[in-house]
Amino acid sequence: MKILVTGGAGFIGSNFIKYYLDAHPEDEVVNLDVLTYAGNLENLKDVEENPQYTFVKGSITDRDLVFDLVKDVDAIVHIAAESHVDRSIMDSGPFVETNVIGTQVLLDAALAHGKKRFHHVSTDEVFGSLGPDDKPFDETTPYAPRNPYSASKAASDHLVRSYFHTHGLPITISNCSNNYGPYQFPEKMIPLFIAKLRAGEKVPVYGDGQQIRDWIHVGDHVRGIDACLQKGELGETYLFGDDNEVRNLDLTKKLIELVGASEDMIEFVKDRPGHDRRYATDSRKAHEQLGWKPEFTFETGLRNTIDWYLANEEWVDRCRSGAYKDYYKKQYGL
Ligand code: NAD
Ligand code: DAU
């Protein structure tokens, strides 16, 4: 099989490509990524010499390019997105452009070239915010996005589902909870806080820090994406999470303890507008129908993740300074 992965230079995309090439050594992977600030080809150093892997720099909104690439593949794993909520509050334009229009272009290409298999990677944020006693999100939870990022992802999910019902495009969708693990851009909470603590900077906890997220290791998420592709029932949605609800302040204290810093480094700052209070996911459908289960415990996953960031300080520094962009120029002439 030859698959087109979009957004393969980002956090989840690069972890997915490395996992996929290892799990399916006979398959070919084409990585289409426009290399926004979040795209980092250094994440893929391990596979860049692999003859089964090809990188194409370009946007999923470029119709001609996308139609050309989709023609030659058997399946599409659509991971590319603008992914950071805070950025979507500053400017929602790129979120609509990439997450909605880009998805539509990919769907049109998949349809035009004989209804290619399409897996869409989405988020639990499309379901909105839970109260303390609400039951976790599942595949039947109504959509209720509350920030421009989640609204754009919700729109993309609806489009993908509509191509199944209207055109018979063979799709699956996965909605995953908060990921952590290696190669996450240090703007998201866990890598940002580790980087700041290491640099002796205070960590900005939004509002009262009582918001809850359901954390899952990226290694478990990418196995889930592959399981959807291999075993998912067409037209179906699968939720991935780890029954691992943690309050932001508790997580911050845990990170401080693991990095060996002091709780004096906590700084409460103005809350994120529209900040979702609680996410929680019920992944029983994925357990039962895909045979998928998380393998990492939060304890070992977090410890490994911190060890990875501490052992890869240069990667973090190059992300924070922007020096990682030099790698594209040197290696690929981009
Ligand atoms: P990321 O920001 O780390 O990576 C996104 C990648 O997409 C980057 O390499 C970027 O260059 C690329 N990209 C952006 N716009 C593009 C365009 N127009 N054309 C081609 N490439 C483009 O994001 P991530 O955290 O790896 O998230 C990946 C996907 O997983 C997203 O769809 C996101 O909604 C979803 N998701 C993320 C999480 C999480 O916790 N990070 C959880 C659930 C779902
Ligand atoms: O739930 C899945 C989603 O998880 C993905 O769809 C998104 O792409 C991904 O970015 C993530 O969204 P969050 O907004 O939950 O992640 P973030 O790491 O930005 O924030 C996690 C929590 O920490 C959230 O409640 C906000 C808080 N936070 C975040 C930052 C960056 C802080 O308190 N301070 C910070 O500086």
Side-chain angles (χ1 to χ4, degrees):
M1 191 150 90
K2 183 172 180 178
I3 64 168
L4 176 69
V5 175
T6 68
F11 165 49
I12 295 168
S14 60
N15 276 284
F16 175 75
I17 288 177
K18 286 180 276 189
Y19 168 81
Y20 191 88
L21 286 169
D22 198 40
H24 308 277
E26 306 296 311
D27 285 5
E28 287 177 61
V29 172
V30 179
N31 172 16
L32 172 63
D33 197 302
V34 77
L35 302 179
T36 65
Y37 76 92
N40 183 349
L41 289 178
E42 291 184 355
N43 300 356
L44 291 155
K45 269 184 187 167
D46 295 353
V47 295
E48 66 191 10
E49 302 293 331
N50 185 330
Q52 304 299 99
Y53 167 75
T54 314
F55 172 66
V56 178
K57 183 178 187 292
S59 175
I60 58 169
T61 58
D62 180 340
R63 242 182 144 74
D64 292 342
L65 174 65
V66 168
F67 272 63
D68 205 36
L69 291 172
V70 167
K71 190 170 62 199
D72 293 329
V73 300
D74 304 298
I76 298 152
V77 178
H78 177 28
I79 304 178
E82 287 293 341
S83 69
H84 193 39
V85 173
D86 292 332
R87 288 179 188 258
S88 80
I89 295 167
M90 306 291 285
D91 179 9
S92 62
F95 287 75
V96 173
E97 192 63 36
T98 286
N99 301 359
V100 185
I101 308 292
T103 301
Q104 185 228 345
V105 170
L106 284 162
L107 289 165
D108 282 348
L111 193 60
H113 291 298
K115 300 190 182 176
K116 298 283 166 83
R117 177 77 173 85
F118 194 102
H119 180 70
H120 178 58
V121 173
S122 191
T123 168
D124 64 350
E125 289 204 18
V126 298
F127 302 116
S129 184
L130 291 169
D133 300 322
D134 290 339
K135 70 179 181 64
F137 306 131
D138 65 24
E139 289 78 4
T140 65
T141 306
Y143 277 42
R146 292 162 24 101
N147 61 61
Y149 160 69
S150 53
S152 68
K153 290 297 291 186
S156 69
D157 291 13
H158 290 317
L159 268 176
V160 173
R161 213 167 273 120
S162 80
Y163 275 61
F164 170 75
H165 291 294
T166 307
H167 299 296
L169 193 72
I171 66 101
T172 42
I173 299 177
S174 52
N175 296 85
C176 190
S177 63
N178 284 64
N179 284 217
Y180 69 96
Y183 300 102
Q184 186 167 31
F185 196 79
E187 63 180 352
K188 307 283 166 62
M189 184 192 183
I190 290 182
L192 177 72
F193 282 16
I194 298 171
K196 280 185 169 290
L197 290 169
R198 193 194 118 253
E201 298 166 23
K202 292 202 171 206
V203 292
V205 173
Y206 295 163
D208 61 4
Q210 296 304 307
Q211 304 80 10
I212 294 173
R213 296 293 182 266
D214 175 8
W215 293 96
I216 183 173
H217 193 277
V218 66
D220 286 325
H221 183 194
V222 300
R223 280 192 306 103
I225 295 171
D226 191 27
C228 285
L229 190 64
Q230 310 298 334
K231 301 185 221 161
E233 194 178 322
L234 299 182
E236 290 296 308
T237 292
Y238 299 90
L239 255 62
F240 295 120
D242 197 8
D243 285 334
N244 189 29
E245 294 184 50
V246 187
R247 281 180 203 280
N248 288 346
L249 189 56
D250 294 338
L251 177 56
T252 305
K253 289 181 180 169
K254 186 85 194 154
L255 291 171
I256 285 173
E257 180 199 319
L258 290 171
V259 171
S262 149
E263 289 189 11
D264 295 344
M265 300 311 282
I266 296 174
E267 184 177 24
F268 289 96
V269 300
K270 193 168 168 296
D271 207 356
R272 172 189 279 176
H275 198 170
D276 289 337
R277 199 72 182 160
R278 174 179 167 235
Y279 302 147
T281 46
D282 176 346
S283 304
R284 271 176 298 180
K285 181 175 169 186
H287 296 191
E288 286 158 18
Q289 296 187 13
L290 302 176
W292 171 90
K293 268 199 170 52
E295 286 176 354
F296 285 89
T297 63
F298 194 48
E299 201 59 37
T300 45
L302 198 60
R303 178 73 266 175
N304 291 351
T305 299
I306 287 171
D307 288 348
W308 187 89
Y309 283 98
L310 296 181
N312 290 276
E313 294 197 326
E314 208 190 323
W315 181 90
V316 178
D317 289 343
R318 289 169 65 75
C319 284
R320 294 189 93 194
S321 70
Y324 64 104
K325 296 280 181 198
D326 300 342
Y327 183 76
Y328 312 167
K329 290 183 202 123
K330 209 166 121 220
Q331 195 75 358
Y332 290 86
L334 300 172

